[in-house]
Amino acid sequence: MPDFHDPATMNRRTPGTEITVEPNDPRYPDLVVGHNPRFTGKPERIHIAGSAEDVVHAVTDAVRTGRRVGVRSGGHCFENLVADPAIRVLVDLSELNRVSFDTARGAFAIEAGAALGQVYRTLFKNWGVTIPTGACPGVGAGGHILGGGYGPLSRRFGSVVDYLQGVEVVVVDRAGEVHIVEVDRNSTGAGHDLWWAHTGGGGGNFGVVTRFWLRAADVVSTDPAELLPRPPATVLLRSFHWPWRELTEQSFALLLRNFGTWYEQHSAPESTQLGLFSTLVCAHRQAGYVTLNIHLDGTDPNAERTLAEHLSAINDQVGVTPAEGLRETLPWLRSTQVSGSIAEGGEPGVQRTKVKAAYLRTGLSETQLATVYRRLTDSGYDNPSAALLLLGYGGRANAVAPSATALAQRDSVLKALFVTNWSEPAEDERHLTWIRGFYREMYAETGGVPVPGTRVDGSYINYPDTDLADPLWNTSGVAWHDLYYKDNYPRLQRAKARWDPQNIFQHGLSIKPPERLSPGQP
């Protein structure tokens, strides 16, 4: 079968003719604001790349002039890792967005600027396959994949990086020369380390990834339709709402406790419930409701029973009958658009955001349940956009050894996402104070952060939080990189020293070469 290129991406520029946008260009204001308008960059040049050669040209220019370089694919970074004013040259990959099947490599090629929604459409319409990525269609593949990648299908199919066959990366050597390198899981020595570093090591660390190759590692076939997971033909989407006015502290705690217990019991790699993914959205009391969103394989003949049993287990003895909201049974591709519009939750670039996160090996403790209730019913903090989300995880995402990929968290059953959104810059301090205090209280027993232990397992680099590297908010004595990467960090450092010896690619949570770390430095 010939390579397929999405028709929307067929207008390709000649390599070496990338577009450069400077501050006096009318396009500039649109290109310096990402998903989170709390941060606005001030680059002297924005290079809009259309090929790996364009990236080489942009990085070479930055290195030779001694200017800090940053890279952006979808612009959804929650922190200022890309929109840092110190970045003087920004490489924008959004036009580097082809999705195709590479017959020579026997793998799907996804360029780093492709949005997840485009990836879904192209893979599914042409080969009937997908990758188990996130719910937000506007997120760029570059950042998402490099952090590990997960979504509603990850319980059944694993993390996205479990399918990473190879990467094309623009790197800078010790002499300052810029090169394009291609490495894959079969590379040896330093090449294999570079491939491994991109299986969850985060973006902007080792170079500029311009292309990924993905396929199932254990499938022997030349048929593209057999090389990535096939999504279910139909999906049941349901939501249920518990009115805050009917919830007491005891019934609220029981609701959350039941949710955690269900995932503790149904998140083994061999569980029969891996076709079900749900999210419990514990919004601030001002929002009016606590909401359960369910995503379920509609082709399962027992789907309706599975859904009913899940809801019954979550609501067991809560004493409040939830109201049914969304009720749809949709073809899979259509379902990604509906669930994606829910997950995006507002117009990108408008709402200011702060998020904090944790991997959960169990449900919340009794002390934590009391903290959640108190923080979400605090009448002194009036923000219906503040919430704690408990996101289903586990299953096949936990079928891989922690050292097999840079993604080290391989036995969690949930992810916790703390979030608050607002509009006015003048209100920054009030909202930041609330979420920081909430998070610190949740993990008060371990210095205000989710130190890996019996109940939690650190945090997820795709929900970056620079507070973890700030001793004001992290008093645990555990460095930020141990919260994100655990025992995998030393190997990431070695890859950094080999492939980015000049530390060209850096940001607030970037991998540090071994020699750049002094004792006690976070």
Side-chain angles (χ1 to χ4, degrees):
M1 181 175 183
D3 287 4
F4 171 83
H5 300 304
D6 190 315
T9 68
M10 290 303 289
N11 294 324
R12 311 304 295 179
R13 300 190 305 273
T14 302
T17 60
E18 83 278 4
I19 296 169
T20 301
V21 175
E22 297 183 346
N24 60 352
D25 191 300
R27 293 169 290 184
Y28 186 86
D30 274 320
L31 298 179
V32 293
V33 178
H35 186 79
N36 186 359
R38 277 181 61 210
F39 308 109
T40 301
K42 298 179 180 180
E44 296 171 9
R45 295 182 184 176
I46 302 171
H47 293 268
I48 302 176
S51 67
E53 291 79 9
D54 288 353
V55 175
V56 169
H57 183 266
V59 173
T60 299
D61 178 51
V63 172
R64 288 180 178 172
T65 57
R67 290 180 296 181
R68 175 98 166 264
V69 63
V71 58
R72 177 178 66 199
S73 55
H76 278 66
C77 185
F78 291 124
E79 291 283 10
N80 67 336
L81 308 188
V82 176
D84 186 340
I87 292 174
R88 312 313 297 153
V89 174
L90 178 62
V91 182
D92 185 304
L93 302 177
S94 58
E95 296 301 306
L96 190 61
N97 55 18
R98 289 176 293 187
V99 178
S100 62
F101 184 73
D102 186 330
T103 54
R105 283 186 172 269
F108 291 92
I110 298 175
E111 292 183 333
L116 295 184
Q118 175 194 340
V119 174
Y120 300 151
R121 289 192 302 274
T122 303
L123 291 179
F124 185 71
K125 287 183 176 181
N126 290 277
W127 300 283
V129 299
T130 191
I131 52 177
T133 50
C136 300
V139 169
H144 183 80
I145 294 173
L146 294 175
Y150 84 105
L153 297 179
S154 288
R155 283 171 48 80
R156 170 168 286 181
F157 297 124
S159 296
V160 180
V161 290
D162 299 336
Y163 298 87
L164 186 63
Q165 178 68 20
V167 287
E168 176 183 76
V169 195
V170 174
V171 298
V172 182
D173 65 21
R174 193 171 298 278
E177 296 298 318
V178 183
H179 309 274
I180 301 173
V181 298
E182 295 180 4
V183 294
D184 61 37
R185 67 171 65 247
N186 298 317
S187 298
T188 58
H192 187 267
D193 286 344
L194 185 62
W195 165 81
W196 178 88
H198 288 96
T199 61
N205 279 310
F206 310 97
V208 181
V209 175
T210 51
R211 179 164 44 177
F212 303 91
W213 287 277
L214 292 105
R215 61 162 291 156
D218 57 350
V219 174
V220 179
S221 176
T222 57
D223 183 355
E226 297 178 354
L227 299 180
L228 283 177
R230 286 184 172 274
T234 58
V235 172
L236 274 65
L237 297 177
R238 302 286 191 273
S239 67
F240 299 89
H241 308 284
W242 286 262
W244 261 113
R245 65 178 180 275
E246 297 182 26
L247 291 170
T248 64
E249 181 172 358
Q250 292 70 33
S251 59
F252 174 80
L254 185 55
L255 181 64
L256 272 64
R257 190 182 303 120
N258 289 345
F259 189 80
T261 297
W262 191 93
Y263 276 93
E264 290 175 23
Q265 296 173 347
H266 299 93
S267 295
E270 65 277 5
S271 171
T272 60
Q273 301 294 314
L274 301 186
L276 187 149
F277 164 85
S278 60
T279 301
L280 190 64
V281 182
C282 306
H284 192 278
R285 187 183 184 95
Q286 277 206 336
Y289 299 94
V290 174
T291 299
L292 176 69
N293 294 316
I294 301 175
H295 179 288
L296 179 62
D297 179 356
T299 64
D300 181 348
N302 298 314
E304 290 290 352
R305 185 177 72 184
T306 297
L307 187 149
E309 290 175 349
H310 182 64
L311 177 62
S312 177
I314 304 307
N315 202 41
D316 186 31
Q317 299 185 53
V318 171
V320 178
T321 301
E324 187 172 17
L326 177 69
R327 181 180 178 84
E328 296 277 6
T329 299
L330 298 171
W332 175 78
L333 188 59
R334 170 62 180 157
S335 78
T336 66
Q337 300 168 22
V338 173
S339 58
S341 64
I342 295 171
E344 293 270 49
E347 185 179 352
V350 175
Q351 283 201 309
R352 304 166 78 81
T353 298
K354 176 65 177 179
V355 304
K356 303 174 88 65
Y359 280 98
L360 307 185
R361 285 172 159 156
T362 70
L364 301 179
S365 70
E366 295 304 307
T367 300
Q368 289 175 324
L369 291 170
T371 296
V372 175
Y373 181 81
R374 183 170 60 257
R375 290 286 179 168
L376 294 181
T377 58
D378 178 8
S379 60
Y381 181 67
D382 53 343
N383 184 4
S385 294
L388 167 67
L389 283 69
L390 299 176
L391 307 153
Y393 197 58
R396 298 302 300 173
N398 290 347
V400 177
S403 62
T405 61
L407 177 61
Q409 290 86 356
R410 292 293 189 168
D411 64 358
S412 295
V413 301
L414 292 166
K415 293 192 185 191
L417 180 64
F418 302 74
V419 59
T420 184
N421 301 311
W422 66 100
S423 299
E424 297 301 324
E427 297 182 356
D428 284 5
E429 192 58 35
R430 181 168 73 93
H431 296 288
L432 292 173
T433 297
W434 178 83
I435 194 170
R436 284 168 168 164
F438 184 6
Y439 192 74
R440 180 161 60 183
E441 188 175 354
M442 286 291 284
Y443 303 107
E445 295 179 356
T446 53
V449 296
V451 175
T454 303
R455 286 190 172 273
V456 299
D457 200 23
S459 193
Y460 178 43
I461 192 60
N462 274 359
Y463 297 149
D465 178 10
T466 54
D467 290 349
L468 299 188
D470 186 341
L472 178 65
W473 299 106
N474 178 0
T475 60
S476 68
V478 177
W480 67 266
H481 48 75
D482 291 330
L483 301 175
Y484 286 121
Y485 301 116
K486 299 173 47 179
D487 293 341
N488 286 342
Y489 190 66
R491 186 175 177 186
L492 289 169
Q493 287 184 287
R494 293 193 294 271
K496 177 74 168 181
R498 167 62 179 82
W499 290 101
D500 184 22
Q502 295 194 36
N503 199 28
I504 297 297
F505 302 99
Q506 57 178 283
H507 51 68
L509 294 172
S510 58
I511 307 298
K512 306 294 189 298
E515 65 272 15
R516 292 181 181 270
L517 282 176
S518 59
Q521 181 182 347

